[in-house]
Amino acid sequence: MNLLPVKEKSKIYPLAAIRDGIIFPKTENILVFGRKKSLLALDEALRKDKKVVLVLQKNASLDNPQSNDLHPIGVLAEIVKYHQGEKGEINALVRGLARVKILNFTKTDPFFEVRTEQFPLKIEDNEEIRAMVRYIIDQIKKAINLGKAVDFVLLANILNVSEIDDLEKFANQVVNIFEIKVEERQKLLEKNDIKSLLNHEIELINKEIKILEIERHISSKTQRKFEEGIKESILREKMRTIEEELGEGREAKEINEYREKIKKAKMPKKVEEKAFEELKRLAQMSQFNPEASYIRTYLDWLVSLPWSVASTNDVDLKEAQKVLEEDHYGLKKVKERILEYLAVMKLAKRQKKYEDEKEKLKLKQHQPTILCFVGPPGVGKTSLGKSIARALGRKFVKVSLGGIRDEAEIRGHRRTYVGAMPGRIIQGIKQAATKNPVFMLDEIDKVGRDYRGDPSAALLEALDPEQNHSFSDHYLEVDFDLSDVFFITTANILDTIPNALLDRLEIIHFPGYTEDEKYNIAKNHLIKKQLFAHHLEDRKILFIEESIRTIIRRYTREAGVRELERQLATILRKIAREIIEKKIEEKKIIITPNKLHHYLGPYKYPTQMIEEKNTIGIANGLAWTQAGGDILFIEVATMPGKGMLTLTGHLGDVMKESCQAALSYIRARYGIFGLEKNFFNKLDIHVHVPEGAVPKDGPSAGIAIATAMISALTKIPVKKTVGMTGEITLRGRVLEIGGVKEKVIAAHRAGIKKIILPKENKKDLEDIPQYVLKDLNFVFVSHMDEVLKIALAFPGKKPTFDFSAVKPFATLALKKVN
Ligand code: ADP
């Protein structure tokens, strides 16, 4: 490189002013000269030694700068090559030689000529400078990584320099890599030493890198945004296409389908309006709106209800009677009551034409009452309901109300609830698929109530013929007409049915069956039914009478026939298996009593037999349980003690009170029974009623308890063949009790010959089958004294008790007895 000798001090050179470019020593660049003054200066230089001083003018916009418009420091450059352009301009490749200071202008016209002296950069080379160099190189790399475009040749030069022997050349070339403004370049050119030059460069480089980083960040962000934007619009487009292709098409189809279904459902006008209103909401809704599915469910309910579907409702009494007889054995009274009911229904229908006249006469049209079948489980309440439906040619549905405590179970939840549904009444109607089914509401006595409302109030509304033509379910929000529904309710007991409800019910008692009735039901109905159920109908399977009776006596204890049916099913199930396993070869299978053990295991119940001889302290009470009638052996023992009354055998409160009452009655009349005045102070009395684990309650064992106590205290035995039932008062009066039929049948079964009943119960004997009555002897009483005369086995002929000792009751009682 052609450097100027350092010793060259002041020298005169032509000068060309430059608007916006600075060439640094030891770098090359192409400059374009167009102004006349500059061209003349170049001419002068080319004529002499090709050297020209290039100086930045302070204001780039000046076309004809004067000497004081120029910076005082410039670069002495050599014109390496040049080329004259079409318009007379010169493109020259110039190489910077040295920094020079203008001392004075020797000429300003026609071109500038200046005296200059060299202005060399002070160079020092130490660790610090080297570190700065390394830092600058790193920053260059960083800049490149950040996307800065760098001339490859230039870069190669710099990296070359980085091995660095020429620090000034390095510093000057770096300036060309970065975008440094021309004023800043001038400042760099005017630096005295390498350190301050590099420092200033680092400052500028860092500024640029910062800008590069920001640019990078912005661009990556905009890139991301851009990409997201594209992604979203692609997805939207896809979604639209899918909706167009499937969704909207399907949606429209769905709405049309609903419209058709609503029309087909033949709803009342108001309901139809509501349905269309909801359909409109659905149509306007995006498919993805979660509410859409609620509306669909709601519409499904509306269109599936039998608003105007009904079974033909022509009652043929003869036909109905035939069906009832076919399906059920016995139940004479029940069947009669049902036929009467149907007759009234038929008349009501016929008389519709007279309604206007009735209206004038202010006569209410006969409203059918609601039937309520009351009785223990398994007595045929449900199956009779089914028969009624069959007799009337209507559908049958059964909804169990057991354990319901919430009004919403009957009347539905409002639609605002998640998972809301109509109540059980409307569900039953949907299941029936007709608006006039026979609708059985099972276990109406087990409906509870709590803070969630009173279900029985909702039930009343459903059942009440005056209101139920517009039954409102919370979910449906529209009324449903229940007036054509034939409601039948069932209950095990009447006590727990709310009075308001009870008022509307026509109670039909199912009293429970005698052994004979059970035998006939099994023979004529249950066995046939079970043979079909087990696909054995084509086999010859014969239950002999004694087997059936043994099953009834030793494997069941119930008022109905449910357990009996289950035992028969067990036998047939086992036979089916034996047939398949080829353990049974015979064509005809006869079930004899001794085979029962094989199929059903050991007997489950002992035969209820009375004591073998008259016994002290044991009386035969008669009880009525959920399972029907039963005989209670009441045992009383006395022992030395201090007047304690112990009661065992799972006795309920009412029964315990009966024991107390019986004891008080005895203590009040101690004299009659020949007892000491304070007998109770020296004794403890224990009353026990086996079977201990079976809960027992009710007041009807009162007279039996008193009898057993008196027997235990007086040591007079009780007659073993006498059974008794009746409530006792403190004065010894005997009060009416319930369940006579079941009790009498149970007593008969146990071998009782004489039965003591309260006088008021005389009427109940009508229900009792003749074959039972003929074996029994009945005595009707109104006072305990009478009971004792009959029940105790007095030694000798006459009663030893002096009933006249206590007046006036005893004498009155005696008179009555005699
Ligand atoms: P409930 O509803 O009173 O509990 P179900 O109607 O379920 O009793 O009766 C139990 C079973 O006994 C049914 O299979 C029913 O057909 C049968 N059953 C009850 N009583 C009779 C009867 N008198 N004649 C024929 N089958 C009867």
Side-chain angles (χ1 to χ4, degrees):
M1 199 160 279
N2 199 0
L3 289 176
L4 287 174
V6 180
K7 57 183 185 277
E8 191 179 335
K9 281 242 164 143
S10 73
K11 263 201 152 182
I12 295 175
Y13 296 106
L15 178 147
I18 300 176
R19 281 186 207 260
D20 57 3
I22 286 181
I23 172 160
F24 277 78
K26 308 183 184 182
T27 67
E28 289 182 347
N29 215 340
I30 293 170
L31 299 175
V32 182
F33 301 92
R35 286 182 285 183
K36 200 168 172 206
K37 220 168 180 176
S38 302
L39 292 174
L40 288 171
L42 283 192
D43 267 356
E44 175 70 5
L46 288 170
R47 227 172 19 88
K48 287 162 100 183
D49 54 2
K50 296 187 182 171
K51 287 176 183 147
V52 60
V53 172
L54 302 174
V55 177
L56 187 71
Q57 59 187 63
K58 288 177 186 164
N59 182 348
S61 59
L62 291 177
D63 279 342
N64 190 17
Q66 301 305 304
S67 57
N68 52 0
D69 291 326
L70 301 173
H71 281 289
I73 306 250
V75 174
L76 177 65
E78 180 183 23
I79 299 164
V80 183
K81 266 186 192 162
Y82 72 94
H83 162 77
Q84 186 139 29
E86 283 175 4
K87 290 176 185 163
E89 82 281 7
I90 285 186
N91 302 304
L93 173 66
V94 293
R95 181 190 297 143
L97 297 175
R99 311 190 313 164
V100 290
K101 193 189 223 168
I102 298 168
L103 298 176
N104 62 317
F105 283 81
T106 51
K107 201 191 266 179
T108 53
D109 217 28
F111 58 88
F112 290 120
E113 195 184 71
V114 285
R115 179 181 297 281
T116 60
E117 76 174 7
Q118 288 215 3
F119 178 64
L121 188 68
K122 275 189 220 137
I123 301 288
E124 50 180 333
D125 195 352
N126 55 30
E127 286 292 303
E128 192 185 358
I129 301 292
R130 289 288 154 181
M132 288 165 103
V133 169
R134 262 200 308 282
Y135 180 74
I136 289 175
I137 292 173
D138 285 347
Q139 290 302 76
I140 293 170
K141 289 180 187 161
K142 191 168 175 184
I144 293 169
N145 280 338
L146 285 169
K148 177 153 185 73
V150 177
D151 183 83
F152 185 73
V153 180
L154 203 60
L155 191 63
N157 279 341
I158 290 177
L159 295 179
N160 243 350
V161 187
S162 62
E163 287 172 10
I164 296 176
D165 45 349
D166 190 341
L167 288 169
E168 187 182 3
K169 187 175 176 187
F170 170 78
N172 290 347
Q173 287 193 325
V174 166
V175 178
N176 285 336
I177 287 186
F178 291 94
E179 276 153 38
I180 297 171
K181 282 188 194 145
V182 77
E183 303 89 65
E184 293 293 340
R185 286 174 181 245
Q186 182 64 34
K187 279 184 197 160
L188 291 173
L189 191 67
E190 291 175 8
K191 292 289 177 201
N192 287 321
D193 57 282
I194 184 82
K195 189 176 164 185
S196 60
L197 174 62
L198 291 177
N199 250 334
H200 196 141
E201 278 183 356
I202 286 173
E203 211 176 280
L204 296 171
I205 291 170
N206 283 349
K207 229 185 235 169
E208 187 166 339
I209 285 188
K210 192 99 219 152
I211 291 168
L212 283 171
E213 277 175 349
I214 292 171
E215 270 178 13
R216 172 68 167 266
H217 181 65
I218 291 171
S219 78
S220 71
K221 227 169 144 179
T222 40
Q223 176 73 15
R224 232 188 3 255
K225 270 205 174 144
F226 177 69
E227 283 169 3
E228 277 169 9
I230 287 190
K231 190 171 152 197
E232 195 179 317
S233 59
I234 290 174
L235 285 180
R236 270 188 199 289
E237 193 54 32
K238 269 191 187 163
M239 199 163 85
R240 219 171 52 79
T241 323
I242 290 168
E243 271 177 20
E244 260 173 30
E245 291 289 319
L246 301 162
E248 286 195 356
R250 196 181 57 194
E251 221 169 69
K253 205 172 142 212
E254 185 189 29
I255 300 288
N256 277 335
E257 275 173 12
Y258 272 123
R259 190 167 295 124
E260 286 307 307
K261 280 188 196 164
I262 292 171
K263 280 186 203 151
K264 259 197 205 153
K266 296 212 181 99
M267 304 166 172
K269 201 158 180 298
K270 263 193 178 166
V271 181
E272 198 180 74
E273 276 168 15
K274 170 86 178 162
F276 278 127
E277 210 175 278
E278 293 289 326
L279 187 63
K280 199 169 144 200
R281 278 181 64 210
L282 181 65
Q284 285 165 351
M285 210 167 260
S286 147
Q287 293 211 67
F288 306 104
N289 189 331
E291 212 189 320
S293 81
Y294 295 144
I295 297 185
R296 271 185 219 116
T297 317
Y298 177 71
L299 286 174
D300 287 340
W301 269 103
L302 282 192
V303 299
S304 64
L305 286 178
W307 299 98
S308 43
V309 187
S311 311
T312 46
N313 188 19
D314 198 14
V315 190
D316 179 341
L317 275 194
K318 276 233 167 76
E319 184 60 27
Q321 187 172 11
K322 201 177 127 223
V323 171
L324 293 182
E325 288 300 339
E326 248 170 43
D327 291 354
H328 291 90
Y329 175 87
L331 297 175
K332 201 166 154 250
K333 264 189 155 181
V334 176
K335 287 175 188 163
E336 266 170 24
R337 180 66 197 85
I338 287 167
L339 289 173
E340 286 160 18
Y341 186 91
L342 298 182
V344 174
M345 226 166 77
K346 200 173 166 85
L347 282 182
K349 230 177 126 194
R350 263 197 221 156
Q351 289 187 352
K352 274 213 163 140
K353 53 183 171 181
Y354 301 120
E355 255 166 40
D356 288 349
E357 279 175 48
K358 274 185 172 179
E359 184 68 36
K360 271 185 231 153
L361 292 168
K362 296 253 180 275
L363 270 178
K364 262 196 186 162
Q365 190 196 331
H366 174 84
Q367 297 289 4
T369 20
I370 298 126
L371 295 179
C372 180
F373 293 171
V374 181
V379 290
K381 300 185 295 294
T382 310
S383 70
L384 199 72
K386 284 185 190 161
S387 276
I388 293 174
R390 192 161 86 87
L392 295 178
R394 299 207 204 177
K395 288 269 172 58
F396 177 82
V397 274
K398 176 174 153 183
V399 166
S400 179
L401 302 179
I404 285 186
R405 316 196 130 261
D406 188 352
E407 188 200 0
E409 294 269 7
I410 305 281
R411 211 205 283 274
H413 285 281
R414 293 191 191 283
R415 275 169 71 196
T416 41
Y417 285 86
V418 176
M421 281 240 284
R424 297 203 188 181
I425 304 266
I426 292 296
Q427 287 183 30
I429 292 288
K430 182 183 171 188
Q431 196 190 327
T434 53
K435 59 183 275 200
N436 61 347
V438 171
F439 198 129
M440 183 166 270
L441 293 161
D442 209 15
E443 302 193 308
I444 195 169
D445 53 333
K446 307 225 168 31
V447 173
R449 62 174 296 181
D450 63 12
Y451 61 93
R452 284 168 294 193
D454 185 356
S456 59
L459 262 185
L460 251 180
E461 197 183 304
L463 296 176
D464 185 355
E466 304 218 333
Q467 305 181 42
N468 72 4
H469 52 84
S470 58
F471 174 71
S472 72
D473 181 281
H474 289 327
Y475 179 83
L476 284 193
E477 292 174 1
V478 286
D479 292 344
F480 192 92
D481 181 0
L482 295 176
S483 59
D484 290 336
V485 178
F486 188 149
F487 282 110
I488 299 175
T489 58
T490 81
N492 290 138
I493 44 170
L494 288 178
D495 309 1
T496 53
I497 302 178
N499 275 340
L501 205 55
L502 205 53
D503 261 6
R504 312 278 164 140
L505 303 178
E506 162 101 26
I507 307 294
I508 297 182
H509 283 284
F510 283 60
Y513 299 117
T514 61
E515 186 189 303
D516 256 21
E517 282 170 329
K518 287 182 186 176
Y519 164 71
N520 279 304
I521 291 169
K523 195 175 103 188
N524 300 326
H525 298 273
L526 302 181
I527 293 175
K528 266 186 219 152
K529 211 153 75 176
Q530 290 305 321
L531 283 173
F532 272 101
H534 292 85
H535 307 288
L536 292 168
E537 64 272 16
D538 52 352
R539 302 263 167 174
K540 286 206 172 92
I541 298 176
L542 197 77
F543 285 79
I544 65 165
E545 178 172 345
E546 197 45 35
S547 304
I548 299 175
R549 288 189 186 273
T550 308
I551 297 171
I552 295 168
R553 272 183 227 138
R554 307 303 298 270
Y555 290 94
T556 71
R557 183 169 286 183
E558 58 177 351
V561 290
R562 203 173 274 177
E563 193 55 37
L564 172 58
E565 191 171 19
R566 232 173 262 147
Q567 298 297 339
L568 294 171
T570 308
I571 294 174
L572 295 181
R573 203 168 55 234
K574 294 198 167 156
I575 289 177
R577 183 172 168 195
E578 286 174 351
I579 289 172
I580 294 300
E581 289 177 351
K582 302 226 161 24
K583 284 187 189 153
I584 296 184
E585 298 292 344
E586 316 93 84
K587 289 254 150 38
K588 195 170 175 183
I589 302 163
I590 299 171
I591 312 292
T592 52
N594 52 13
K595 281 189 186 163
L596 295 179
H597 204 78
H598 167 63
Y599 290 120
L600 299 176
Y603 293 147
K604 288 191 177 149
Y605 301 100
T607 43
Q608 286 176 326
M609 289 313 291
I610 51 175
E611 296 287 314
E612 281 183 3
K613 57 181 190 349
N614 298 343
T615 316
I616 293 171
I618 295 188
N620 303 323
L622 304 178
W624 185 84
T625 63
Q626 290 250 335
D630 218 339
I631 183 159
L632 292 181
F633 301 106
I634 292 165
E635 297 176 354
V636 177
T638 58
M639 56 214 89
K642 286 190 181 130
M644 233 171 58
L645 176 64
T646 310
L647 309 170
T648 55
H650 221 310
L651 310 187
D653 286 344
V654 178
M655 203 153 170
K656 282 180 184 163
E657 282 166 16
S658 288
C659 295
Q660 299 278 6
L663 181 60
S664 297
Y665 160 79
I666 296 165
R667 288 177 69 186
R669 333 186 89 207
Y670 65 95
I672 297 176
F673 304 125
L675 301 170
E676 279 178 39
K677 190 174 183 188
N678 294 325
F679 75 94
F680 194 51
N681 293 345
K682 298 175 196 162
L683 290 172
D684 283 348
I685 298 180
H686 185 167
V687 180
H688 179 67
V689 188
E691 305 152 55
V694 180
K696 308 159 191 88
D697 205 2
S700 70
I703 60 171
I705 295 168
T707 304
M709 274 187 190
I710 291 166
S711 161
L713 289 166
T714 59
K715 311 292 179 219
I716 302 173
V718 185
K719 289 182 190 159
K720 61 174 184 175
T721 51
V722 174
M724 62 197 85
T725 176
E727 184 174 351
I728 185 176
T729 70
L730 289 180
R731 303 270 149 87
R733 279 183 56 213
V734 178
L735 305 181
E736 182 182 6
I737 43 79
V740 171
K741 182 186 171 192
E742 291 84 352
K743 288 175 179 174
V744 169
I745 290 167
H748 178 253
R749 201 163 47 223
I752 299 279
K753 298 287 177 226
K754 185 178 271 187
I755 294 180
I756 303 174
L757 291 174
K759 240 183 193 136
E760 287 88 347
N761 284 107
K762 205 169 185 174
K763 60 182 188 319
D764 296 324
L765 291 195
E766 284 173 23
D767 291 346
I768 298 170
Q770 212 46 48
Y771 77 95
V772 175
L773 287 179
K774 72 177 173 21
D775 292 342
L776 292 171
N777 193 349
F778 291 91
V779 187
F780 299 97
V781 300
S782 56
H783 198 276
M784 192 60 211
D785 295 348
E786 300 164 65
V787 175
L788 294 175
K789 285 185 86 176
I790 302 158
L792 294 181
F794 294 103
K797 279 200 169 165
K798 286 231 165 165
T800 52
F801 293 153
D802 180 7
F803 289 118
S804 62
V806 178
K807 293 190 175 178
F809 295 104
T811 42
L812 278 176
L814 259 186
K815 267 188 197 162
K816 268 189 187 168
V817 175
N818 300 329

